[in-house]
Amino acid sequence: MCGIVGIVGLTPVNQSIYDALTVLQHRGQDAAGIITIADDNFKQRKANGLVKDVFDSKHMQRLKGNIGIGHVRYPTAGSSSAAEAQPFYVNSPWGLALAHNGNLTNATSLRKSLIKSRRHINTTSDSEVLLNIFAAELDNMEGDKLVPDDIFNAVREVHKKVVGAYAVVSLMIGHGLVAFRDPDGIRPLVLGSRKTEEGDMEYIVASESVGLDTIGFKVMRDVEPGEAVYITEDRQLFTQQCAEKTSLHPCIFEYVYLARPDSTLSGISVYESRLEMGRKLGSKIKREWADIEIDAVIPIPETSNDIALQISLELGLPYRQGFVKNRYIGRTFIMPGQTQRRKSVRRKLNPITAEFKDKAVLLVDDSIVRGTTSEQIVEMVRDAGAKKVYLASAAPQVCHPNVYGIDMPTTSELIAHNRTVEQISDCIGTDGLIFQDLQDLKDAVGKQNPNVDGFECSVFDGIYVTGDIDQSYFDYLAGLRSEDAKNVQEQKEELASLEMHNES
């Protein structure tokens, strides 16, 4: 997953983009980047790291211009090198930059077609592929200056060629900002505006509404699935539907885990949806665990806090904070063994012993993926003196990989794959384990917007809304992960070799 933002303003936008990226930081902590336009040139800064670490005063001073885009990255496949930090740009046509949230499921075939047409791809990123597809379509348009219909026609051709999930912000020198969203509306994109003291309008597009609220923009609406937004450099706004067939299937994991609780996506408050998840799950626990005695409901911070609170109200049990989260933990870099990995979890979370000693506790988490973290937390709670440890997951069993821009392991690494609930419980060491039912989750999130056509729930039900996913694609993803693992191992060996050299 990634976070994107684009602003067309009356005054320099560098600070506003920076501020928006800081509140979208939860969507990606691996790299950050900003590109602006000034004097008909791109001004750029991007690197690996958090927003606050990537941009210094000297970088901000160089990022001049009243129009720009920004990106925070969490890599889902391929390399995580600084070269793959976004936005990307190409010189033709006119100078084009692009940042992207999502994943193209036909990136391999697109890459081959670009090579045949003599367009060079520098990285393994599908975002650079998307940039070049868009650039090629714009190149096909006639004239020295494109009109809005030319840009919309180029986006229309992109939709015909590209498959997957994508929310895009793009800059074109001499023209303005272009934003568009995949025809199934899987990844979110929000449009907003802000009136200046002079009465002029400034515009923004961002991954979440919180990226607008915190810098003084008001939400106008969500960008519709398949829709394109074009904002000229002099702040004229044009929109057009550019896909032949559309549906609204937002990723349900946005509401379970990814998005901030103070965001509203597709007309659905993330906070309210999580409260409703708690009500649904609390009702299921009350039905199925009526004979189990529990002393307290304790969330595993932080996404599950609101869910756990609602469960405690539903069950009439005390809600307690049992963990302290270290917000300032440094990067763990390369952890050579299981012992170090276990220690890293303990550095992030520390139990409040008094909340566990001699108690039967119900832990609440947003989801269980690999199960390794859950196992370590359960062990930590038992070490703190809990006599019984139960665990409730606000999401159903994760049984399938995600292919639309969320970092999910291969099927074999998912703890729920080919295991019953009882077997999963044994693996992570709980006295009882309960999962949210998928229909309850859909109902909880969809309650606020009955016009949603459905939700992208593939990690739970194996149904991929783009209809193009088969075993060969999963094999391709597994190959990428193997390559990543090989790169990490090589880094370990280099470090070990360097340490031996220093010692000698």
Side-chain angles (χ1 to χ4, degrees):
M1 69 178 177
C2 298
I4 59 175
V5 61
I7 299 177
V8 183
L10 187 67
T11 57
V13 295
N14 52 358
Q15 186 65 53
S16 290
I17 293 176
Y18 176 93
D19 292 341
L21 290 180
T22 60
V23 296
L24 295 174
Q25 187 75 84
H26 60 285
R27 301 188 68 87
Q29 299 90 48
D30 185 70
I34 294 175
I35 285 183
T36 59
I37 298 176
D39 303 320
D40 286 335
N41 286 297
F42 283 135
K43 310 296 181 180
Q44 173 181 275
R45 166 63 179 171
K46 61 179 182 176
N48 280 356
L50 300 175
V51 174
K52 67 180 180 64
D53 298 322
V54 169
F55 301 100
D56 293 329
S57 295
K58 62 183 179 182
H59 304 126
M60 297 299 287
Q61 289 168 7
R62 288 203 301 265
L63 291 169
K64 300 174 182 179
N66 300 347
I67 179 172
I69 59 176
H71 185 271
V72 286
R73 180 188 69 180
Y74 188 99
T76 56
S79 170
S80 59
S81 70
E84 305 220 354
Q86 297 186 43
F88 291 109
Y89 77 92
V90 290
N91 292 325
S92 175
W94 291 282
L96 185 69
L98 180 144
H100 158 234
N101 171 35
N103 184 57
L104 307 186
T105 55
N106 66 335
T108 300
S109 60
L110 291 173
R111 187 181 296 273
K112 290 177 181 177
S113 71
L114 288 169
I115 292 171
K116 287 181 180 178
S117 62
R118 299 179 181 177
R119 296 196 73 94
H120 179 70
I121 306 297
N122 250 347
T123 70
T124 62
S125 173
D126 63 338
S127 301
E128 191 185 9
V129 170
L130 181 54
L131 166 63
N132 277 272
I133 292 290
F134 187 35
E137 295 304 330
L138 290 169
D139 260 334
N140 290 333
M141 303 298 158
E142 297 180 355
D144 296 330
K145 178 91 171 180
L146 300 184
V147 298
D149 280 348
D150 293 327
I151 291 170
F152 294 139
N153 286 335
V155 174
R156 188 170 287 110
E157 293 303 314
V158 170
H159 285 325
K160 291 177 182 178
K161 294 181 178 179
V162 169
V163 183
Y166 48 96
V168 175
V169 288
S170 178
L171 291 181
M172 195 185 313
I173 291 176
H175 290 78
L177 182 147
V178 183
F180 54 93
R181 191 178 180 195
D182 67 80
D184 293 301
I186 299 171
R187 298 265 71 87
L189 194 60
V190 182
L191 172 66
S193 62
R194 178 173 67 185
K195 185 173 285 189
T196 68
E197 292 180 359
E198 295 80 11
D200 295 301
M201 296 301 293
E202 300 177 309
Y203 294 99
I204 184 173
V205 285
S207 293
E208 294 183 29
S209 64
V210 69
L212 286 62
D213 305 336
T214 53
I215 57 174
F217 282 86
K218 293 188 180 300
V219 173
M220 296 169 63
R221 59 181 177 83
D222 291 273
V223 176
E224 295 296 323
E227 184 183 21
V229 175
Y230 173 43
I231 307 165
T232 65
E233 290 184 322
D234 58 357
R235 290 166 287 104
Q236 295 182 66
L237 174 66
F238 301 89
T239 66
Q240 191 173 117
Q241 178 54 253
C242 296
E244 295 176 357
K245 182 181 178 183
T246 65
S247 67
L248 181 55
H249 282 81
C251 172
I252 205 162
F253 232 83
E254 291 279 354
Y255 303 92
V256 173
Y257 173 74
L258 299 183
R260 273 182 41 154
D262 46 346
S263 283
T264 298
L265 305 173
S266 299
I268 299 169
S269 161
V270 176
Y271 174 73
E272 289 293 338
S273 70
R274 288 176 185 167
L275 292 182
E276 192 63 23
M277 290 176 210
R279 294 186 191 105
K280 295 283 188 183
L281 187 53
S283 295
K284 181 177 181 181
I285 294 169
K286 188 185 292 185
R287 289 193 311 270
E288 299 189 7
W289 283 3
D291 57 339
I292 292 179
E293 292 186 6
I294 296 169
D295 296 312
V297 179
I298 297 176
I300 297 172
E302 292 176 315
T303 314
S304 60
N305 288 3
D306 301 324
I307 300 167
L309 176 59
Q310 207 59 42
I311 290 174
S312 73
L313 294 174
E314 197 73 24
L315 299 178
L317 292 172
Y319 169 86
R320 310 293 290 178
Q321 289 286 346
F323 299 96
V324 176
K325 187 172 184 177
N326 181 2
R327 300 176 186 274
Y328 308 104
I329 186 169
R331 294 179 65 192
T332 49
F333 298 100
I334 296 170
M335 295 177 292
Q338 183 69 8
T339 301
Q340 287 299 314
R341 285 193 289 271
R342 287 181 179 275
K343 285 181 180 179
S344 74
V345 174
R346 187 61 181 259
R347 293 187 192 109
K348 293 175 184 176
L349 284 181
N350 197 47
I352 301 172
T353 303
E355 296 300 335
F356 296 106
K357 190 169 178 59
D358 299 325
K359 293 180 181 178
V361 295
L362 172 61
L363 304 180
V364 179
D365 208 351
D366 51 71
S367 58
I368 301 172
V369 182
R370 289 182 178 87
T372 50
T373 300
S374 300
E375 179 187 2
Q376 293 161 38
I377 289 172
V378 170
E379 183 181 326
M380 190 190 306
V381 169
R382 291 198 186 279
D383 289 344
K387 62 181 181 182
K388 293 283 185 180
V389 183
Y390 303 98
L391 178 58
S393 168
Q397 297 94 311
V398 176
C399 299
H400 308 275
N402 183 280
V403 301
Y404 298 126
I406 303 175
D407 186 40
M408 286 277 182
T410 57
T411 304
S412 61
E413 297 175 283
L414 298 169
I415 193 170
H417 180 63
N418 284 339
R419 286 191 178 95
T420 64
V421 174
E422 291 74 19
Q423 288 171 330
I424 300 169
S425 179
D426 290 341
C427 287
I428 62 178
T430 58
D431 294 291
L433 174 64
I434 195 165
F435 288 94
Q436 182 92 266
D437 292 331
L438 180 54
Q439 190 57 53
D440 281 348
L441 178 60
K442 291 179 181 179
D443 291 344
V445 181
K447 181 179 180 180
Q448 299 171 63
N449 186 359
N451 296 320
V452 170
D453 296 310
F455 291 98
E456 200 294 299
C457 302
S458 56
V459 296
F460 307 124
D461 60 15
I463 300 172
Y464 296 89
V465 297
T466 53
D468 63 323
I469 305 302
D470 55 21
Q471 187 56 47
S472 64
Y473 188 76
F474 294 136
D475 293 341
Y476 163 73
L477 289 182
L480 288 180
R481 287 188 170 275
S482 296
E483 187 64 29
D484 285 347
K486 179 183 176 182
N487 291 339
V488 170
Q489 182 60 37
E490 288 175 352
Q491 291 177 47
K492 290 179 186 178
E493 291 172 356
E494 287 177 9
L495 282 176
S497 175
L498 181 60
E499 288 173 359
M500 290 178 63
H501 176 75
N502 291 338
E503 289 173 0
S504 61

